[in-house]
Amino acid sequence: VDTSSSPLMPTLLVFSSLLAVAVVRTMPALVSFYADFRSSGFDLAEHRGYGQSACKLYGIFPAPKLSVPAMAFSGLAFLGLVVFPVTSMCPAWMRAPCLGS
């Protein structure tokens, strides 16, 4: 990774690395918990939504009921979005404006 392209690249590299390690470390347990909870038979496991009341987004859009593989894939997609900005494949204009030029 070329850290000379932006003064924020070293910071972004450390942040992305630490966050990626945390995601990789916790993802298996999160997927396992989701699989167990989804099939637990609890009334609460039937609800999907945002916040403690499982409400719809803006009161309109319901949260999807993901399968276990879809939930695992969403974690991998998140990991990709965390790691991609620090790779050489990501041009500067694709990064958030506050992360550098």
Side-chain angles (χ1 to χ4, degrees), residues 16 31 58 73:
S16 295
V31 172
Y58 298 113
F73 178 77

Side-chain angles (χ1 to χ4, degrees), residues 53-68:
S53 61
C55 62
K56 296 177 181 178
L57 182 65
Y58 298 113
I60 300 170
F61 306 107
K65 289 189 176 186
L66 297 177
S67 65
V68 175

Side-chain angles (χ1 to χ4, degrees), residues 2-51:
D2 180 21
T3 59
S4 64
S5 63
S6 168
L8 289 176
M9 278 305 289
T11 304
L12 181 61
L13 181 63
V14 169
F15 173 77
S16 295
S17 299
L18 291 174
L19 185 56
V21 166
V23 170
V24 167
R25 185 182 65 79
T26 59
M27 185 55 62
L30 291 172
V31 172
S32 175
F33 173 80
Y34 183 76
D36 292 343
F37 185 72
R38 189 172 184 265
S39 62
S40 68
F42 293 137
D43 183 46
L44 185 61
E46 297 299 317
H47 301 286
R48 298 291 184 275
Y50 305 99

